[in-house]
Amino acid sequence: MTAAHASSPATADALMRELQMSQPDLLDRLVKTVPPMLPKAYRWVGEMEEIGEFVGGSEGDVYRGLAKVYERIEKSIASDEEDIETLRNFVEKAKK
């Protein structure tokens, strides 16, 4: 089990509450865009790395970090799907 999953229920609930209160439009967008993104995550790894290199410096770290998130999703699809299930559960709960 990864560290993210060890704290996932409490962290996910806190994030959900915060997004509902302060960023409802972002939450709606996540609900719509995360499910179709999952099987295509592998495509975004290289793109985020390229953008990070283009931006450069510490500012590019955001994009390099996003590349790692997409890579983690890709690995989850190829193995235990733990991260995928966490994302799907978050989206389903946000729909309610």
Side-chain angles (χ1 to χ4, degrees), residues 39-73:
K40 298 184 269 185
Y42 70 94
R43 294 171 46 191
W44 294 95
V45 176
E47 290 185 31
M48 292 299 114
E49 289 171 345
E50 288 176 17
I51 294 169
E53 289 304 310
F54 174 77
V55 171
S58 60
E59 294 85 357
D61 290 346
V62 170
Y63 298 98
R64 288 185 281 276
L66 286 169
K68 289 180 182 183
V69 170
Y70 287 119
E71 185 175 36
R72 183 171 164 178
I73 292 168

Short mmCIF file of all heavy atoms in Angstrom, two decimals, residues 39-73:
data_model
loop_
_atom_site.label_atom_id
_atom_site.label_comp_id
_atom_site.label_asym_id
_atom_site.label_seq_id
_atom_site.Cartn_x
_atom_site.Cartn_y
_atom_site.Cartn_z
N PRO A 39 -7.42 6.10 -18.99
CA PRO A 39 -6.76 5.20 -19.94
C PRO A 39 -5.77 5.90 -20.87
O PRO A 39 -5.01 5.24 -21.56
CB PRO A 39 -7.92 4.60 -20.75
CG PRO A 39 -9.05 5.54 -20.59
CD PRO A 39 -8.86 6.22 -19.25
N LYS A 40 -5.77 7.24 -20.86
CA LYS A 40 -4.85 7.99 -21.73
C LYS A 40 -3.72 8.65 -20.95
O LYS A 40 -2.96 9.44 -21.51
CB LYS A 40 -5.63 9.06 -22.49
CG LYS A 40 -6.70 8.50 -23.40
CD LYS A 40 -7.36 9.61 -24.19
CE LYS A 40 -8.55 10.11 -23.43
NZ LYS A 40 -9.35 11.10 -24.13
N ALA A 41 -3.58 8.34 -19.67
CA ALA A 41 -2.58 9.02 -18.83
C ALA A 41 -1.18 8.89 -19.40
O ALA A 41 -0.38 9.82 -19.31
CB ALA A 41 -2.65 8.46 -17.41
N TYR A 42 -0.86 7.74 -19.99
CA TYR A 42 0.47 7.51 -20.53
C TYR A 42 0.87 8.59 -21.55
O TYR A 42 2.04 8.93 -21.68
CB TYR A 42 0.56 6.12 -21.17
CG TYR A 42 -0.22 6.00 -22.45
CD1 TYR A 42 0.39 6.20 -23.68
CD2 TYR A 42 -1.59 5.71 -22.44
CE1 TYR A 42 -0.33 6.12 -24.87
CE2 TYR A 42 -2.32 5.62 -23.62
CZ TYR A 42 -1.69 5.83 -24.83
OH TYR A 42 -2.40 5.76 -25.99
N ARG A 43 -0.12 9.12 -22.25
CA ARG A 43 0.16 10.12 -23.28
C ARG A 43 0.62 11.45 -22.68
O ARG A 43 1.32 12.23 -23.35
CB ARG A 43 -1.09 10.37 -24.12
CG ARG A 43 -1.50 9.17 -24.93
CD ARG A 43 -2.84 9.32 -25.59
NE ARG A 43 -3.03 10.61 -26.25
CZ ARG A 43 -4.21 11.02 -26.70
NH1 ARG A 43 -5.28 10.28 -26.57
NH2 ARG A 43 -4.32 12.19 -27.29
N TRP A 44 0.23 11.71 -21.46
CA TRP A 44 0.53 12.99 -20.85
C TRP A 44 1.89 13.03 -20.16
O TRP A 44 2.39 14.11 -19.85
CB TRP A 44 -0.58 13.35 -19.85
CG TRP A 44 -1.88 13.59 -20.53
CD1 TRP A 44 -2.89 12.68 -20.73
CD2 TRP A 44 -2.30 14.79 -21.16
NE1 TRP A 44 -3.92 13.26 -21.43
CE2 TRP A 44 -3.58 14.56 -21.71
CE3 TRP A 44 -1.73 16.05 -21.30
CZ2 TRP A 44 -4.28 15.54 -22.38
CZ3 TRP A 44 -2.44 17.01 -21.97
CH2 TRP A 44 -3.70 16.75 -22.51
N VAL A 45 2.49 11.88 -19.90
CA VAL A 45 3.78 11.84 -19.21
C VAL A 45 4.82 12.65 -20.00
O VAL A 45 5.41 13.60 -19.48
CB VAL A 45 4.26 10.39 -18.99
CG1 VAL A 45 5.65 10.37 -18.37
CG2 VAL A 45 3.27 9.62 -18.13
N GLY A 46 5.04 12.27 -21.24
CA GLY A 46 6.03 12.96 -22.06
C GLY A 46 5.72 14.42 -22.30
O GLY A 46 6.61 15.27 -22.30
N GLU A 47 4.44 14.71 -22.50
CA GLU A 47 4.06 16.10 -22.75
C GLU A 47 4.36 16.99 -21.55
O GLU A 47 4.86 18.11 -21.70
CB GLU A 47 2.59 16.18 -23.12
CG GLU A 47 2.30 15.60 -24.49
CD GLU A 47 0.87 15.78 -24.93
OE1 GLU A 47 0.24 16.78 -24.53
OE2 GLU A 47 0.39 14.91 -25.68
N MET A 48 4.05 16.51 -20.35
CA MET A 48 4.33 17.30 -19.15
C MET A 48 5.83 17.48 -18.94
O MET A 48 6.30 18.55 -18.55
CB MET A 48 3.69 16.67 -17.92
CG MET A 48 2.18 16.71 -17.91
SD MET A 48 1.50 18.38 -17.92
CE MET A 48 0.70 18.41 -19.52
N GLU A 49 6.61 16.42 -19.24
CA GLU A 49 8.07 16.53 -19.12
C GLU A 49 8.61 17.56 -20.10
O GLU A 49 9.48 18.36 -19.75
CB GLU A 49 8.72 15.17 -19.34
CG GLU A 49 8.47 14.20 -18.21
CD GLU A 49 8.92 12.78 -18.50
OE1 GLU A 49 9.17 12.45 -19.68
OE2 GLU A 49 9.00 12.00 -17.54
N GLU A 50 8.11 17.55 -21.33
CA GLU A 50 8.54 18.52 -22.34
C GLU A 50 8.20 19.94 -21.93
O GLU A 50 9.01 20.86 -22.09
CB GLU A 50 7.92 18.20 -23.69
CG GLU A 50 8.49 16.96 -24.34
CD GLU A 50 7.79 16.60 -25.64
OE1 GLU A 50 7.08 17.47 -26.21
OE2 GLU A 50 7.96 15.47 -26.09
N ILE A 51 7.00 20.14 -21.41
CA ILE A 51 6.61 21.48 -20.96
C ILE A 51 7.50 21.92 -19.81
O ILE A 51 7.94 23.07 -19.76
CB ILE A 51 5.12 21.53 -20.57
CG1 ILE A 51 4.25 21.31 -21.80
CG2 ILE A 51 4.78 22.86 -19.90
CD1 ILE A 51 2.78 21.08 -21.51
N GLY A 52 7.79 20.99 -18.89
CA GLY A 52 8.68 21.32 -17.78
C GLY A 52 10.05 21.75 -18.25
O GLY A 52 10.64 22.70 -17.71
N GLU A 53 10.57 21.08 -19.26
CA GLU A 53 11.87 21.46 -19.82
C GLU A 53 11.79 22.81 -20.52
O GLU A 53 12.70 23.64 -20.41
CB GLU A 53 12.36 20.39 -20.78
CG GLU A 53 12.79 19.10 -20.10
CD GLU A 53 13.85 19.32 -19.04
OE1 GLU A 53 14.87 19.99 -19.32
OE2 GLU A 53 13.65 18.83 -17.91
N PHE A 54 10.70 23.05 -21.23
CA PHE A 54 10.53 24.32 -21.92
C PHE A 54 10.46 25.47 -20.92
O PHE A 54 11.11 26.50 -21.10
CB PHE A 54 9.25 24.30 -22.78
CG PHE A 54 8.93 25.61 -23.41
CD1 PHE A 54 9.64 26.04 -24.52
CD2 PHE A 54 7.93 26.43 -22.89
CE1 PHE A 54 9.36 27.28 -25.10
CE2 PHE A 54 7.65 27.65 -23.46
CZ PHE A 54 8.36 28.09 -24.57
N VAL A 55 9.67 25.30 -19.87
CA VAL A 55 9.52 26.36 -18.87
C VAL A 55 10.82 26.53 -18.11
O VAL A 55 11.26 27.64 -17.83
CB VAL A 55 8.34 26.03 -17.91
CG1 VAL A 55 8.30 27.00 -16.75
CG2 VAL A 55 7.03 26.03 -18.68
N GLY A 56 11.45 25.41 -17.76
CA GLY A 56 12.74 25.44 -17.10
C GLY A 56 12.69 25.86 -15.64
O GLY A 56 11.64 26.24 -15.11
N GLY A 57 13.83 25.77 -15.01
CA GLY A 57 13.99 26.18 -13.62
C GLY A 57 13.00 25.53 -12.68
O GLY A 57 12.37 24.52 -13.00
N SER A 58 12.86 26.13 -11.53
CA SER A 58 11.93 25.58 -10.53
C SER A 58 10.48 25.72 -10.98
O SER A 58 9.62 24.95 -10.55
CB SER A 58 12.14 26.24 -9.18
OG SER A 58 11.91 27.63 -9.26
N GLU A 59 10.21 26.65 -11.88
CA GLU A 59 8.85 26.81 -12.39
C GLU A 59 8.41 25.58 -13.17
O GLU A 59 7.25 25.21 -13.19
CB GLU A 59 8.73 28.05 -13.28
CG GLU A 59 8.93 29.35 -12.54
CD GLU A 59 10.40 29.74 -12.41
OE1 GLU A 59 11.30 28.98 -12.84
OE2 GLU A 59 10.66 30.82 -11.85
N GLY A 60 9.35 24.92 -13.83
CA GLY A 60 9.05 23.71 -14.58
C GLY A 60 8.78 22.51 -13.70
O GLY A 60 8.28 21.48 -14.18
N ASP A 61 9.11 22.63 -12.42
CA ASP A 61 8.89 21.50 -11.50
C ASP A 61 7.43 21.11 -11.41
O ASP A 61 7.11 19.94 -11.21
CB ASP A 61 9.41 21.84 -10.10
CG ASP A 61 10.94 21.89 -10.04
OD1 ASP A 61 11.60 21.43 -11.00
OD2 ASP A 61 11.46 22.40 -9.03
N VAL A 62 6.54 22.06 -11.56
CA VAL A 62 5.10 21.76 -11.53
C VAL A 62 4.76 20.74 -12.61
O VAL A 62 4.08 19.74 -12.36
CB VAL A 62 4.26 23.04 -11.71
CG1 VAL A 62 2.80 22.72 -11.91
CG2 VAL A 62 4.46 23.98 -10.55
N TYR A 63 5.27 20.97 -13.80
CA TYR A 63 4.98 20.08 -14.93
C TYR A 63 5.68 18.73 -14.79
O TYR A 63 5.13 17.70 -15.14
CB TYR A 63 5.34 20.76 -16.24
CG TYR A 63 4.52 22.00 -16.45
CD1 TYR A 63 5.02 23.25 -16.13
CD2 TYR A 63 3.22 21.90 -16.92
CE1 TYR A 63 4.25 24.39 -16.28
CE2 TYR A 63 2.43 23.04 -17.08
CZ TYR A 63 2.95 24.27 -16.76
OH TYR A 63 2.17 25.39 -16.89
N ARG A 64 6.89 18.75 -14.25
CA ARG A 64 7.59 17.49 -13.99
C ARG A 64 6.84 16.69 -12.93
O ARG A 64 6.74 15.46 -13.01
CB ARG A 64 9.04 17.75 -13.62
CG ARG A 64 9.88 18.20 -14.81
CD ARG A 64 11.36 18.35 -14.46
NE ARG A 64 11.65 19.59 -13.75
CZ ARG A 64 11.86 20.77 -14.33
NH1 ARG A 64 11.79 20.89 -15.64
NH2 ARG A 64 12.13 21.83 -13.62
N GLY A 65 6.28 17.37 -11.95
CA GLY A 65 5.46 16.70 -10.94
C GLY A 65 4.20 16.11 -11.53
O GLY A 65 3.81 14.98 -11.20
N LEU A 66 3.57 16.84 -12.44
CA LEU A 66 2.38 16.32 -13.11
C LEU A 66 2.73 15.09 -13.96
O LEU A 66 1.95 14.13 -14.02
CB LEU A 66 1.74 17.40 -13.99
CG LEU A 66 0.98 18.48 -13.24
CD1 LEU A 66 0.63 19.63 -14.18
CD2 LEU A 66 -0.26 17.91 -12.59
N ALA A 67 3.90 15.12 -14.58
CA ALA A 67 4.33 13.95 -15.35
C ALA A 67 4.42 12.72 -14.45
O ALA A 67 4.01 11.62 -14.83
CB ALA A 67 5.68 14.22 -16.01
N LYS A 68 4.90 12.91 -13.23
CA LYS A 68 5.00 11.79 -12.29
C LYS A 68 3.62 11.30 -11.86
O LYS A 68 3.42 10.10 -11.66
CB LYS A 68 5.84 12.19 -11.08
CG LYS A 68 7.29 12.35 -11.42
CD LYS A 68 8.12 12.74 -10.22
CE LYS A 68 9.57 12.93 -10.64
NZ LYS A 68 10.43 13.25 -9.52
N VAL A 69 2.66 12.19 -11.74
CA VAL A 69 1.29 11.79 -11.40
C VAL A 69 0.72 10.93 -12.52
O VAL A 69 0.16 9.85 -12.28
CB VAL A 69 0.39 13.01 -11.13
CG1 VAL A 69 -1.07 12.60 -11.03
CG2 VAL A 69 0.83 13.72 -9.85
N TYR A 70 0.86 11.39 -13.75
CA TYR A 70 0.37 10.62 -14.90
C TYR A 70 1.09 9.28 -15.01
O TYR A 70 0.47 8.26 -15.34
CB TYR A 70 0.49 11.41 -16.19
CG TYR A 70 -0.50 12.53 -16.30
CD1 TYR A 70 -0.10 13.86 -16.41
CD2 TYR A 70 -1.87 12.27 -16.31
CE1 TYR A 70 -1.02 14.88 -16.52
CE2 TYR A 70 -2.80 13.28 -16.42
CZ TYR A 70 -2.37 14.59 -16.52
OH TYR A 70 -3.29 15.60 -16.64
N GLU A 71 2.38 9.27 -14.72
CA GLU A 71 3.14 8.02 -14.75
C GLU A 71 2.62 7.05 -13.68
O GLU A 71 2.50 5.84 -13.92
CB GLU A 71 4.62 8.31 -14.54
CG GLU A 71 5.51 7.12 -14.66
CD GLU A 71 6.98 7.49 -14.55
OE1 GLU A 71 7.32 8.42 -13.77
OE2 GLU A 71 7.78 6.86 -15.24
N ARG A 72 2.31 7.58 -12.53
CA ARG A 72 1.76 6.75 -11.45
C ARG A 72 0.42 6.15 -11.85
O ARG A 72 0.13 4.98 -11.59
CB ARG A 72 1.62 7.60 -10.18
CG ARG A 72 1.13 6.84 -8.99
CD ARG A 72 1.22 7.69 -7.77
NE ARG A 72 0.44 7.12 -6.69
CZ ARG A 72 0.37 7.63 -5.50
NH1 ARG A 72 1.04 8.72 -5.19
NH2 ARG A 72 -0.37 7.06 -4.57
N ILE A 73 -0.41 6.94 -12.51
CA ILE A 73 -1.70 6.43 -13.00
C ILE A 73 -1.46 5.33 -14.02
O ILE A 73 -2.10 4.27 -13.97
CB ILE A 73 -2.54 7.58 -13.59
CG1 ILE A 73 -2.98 8.54 -12.48
CG2 ILE A 73 -3.75 7.04 -14.35
CD1 ILE A 73 -3.55 9.85 -12.98
#
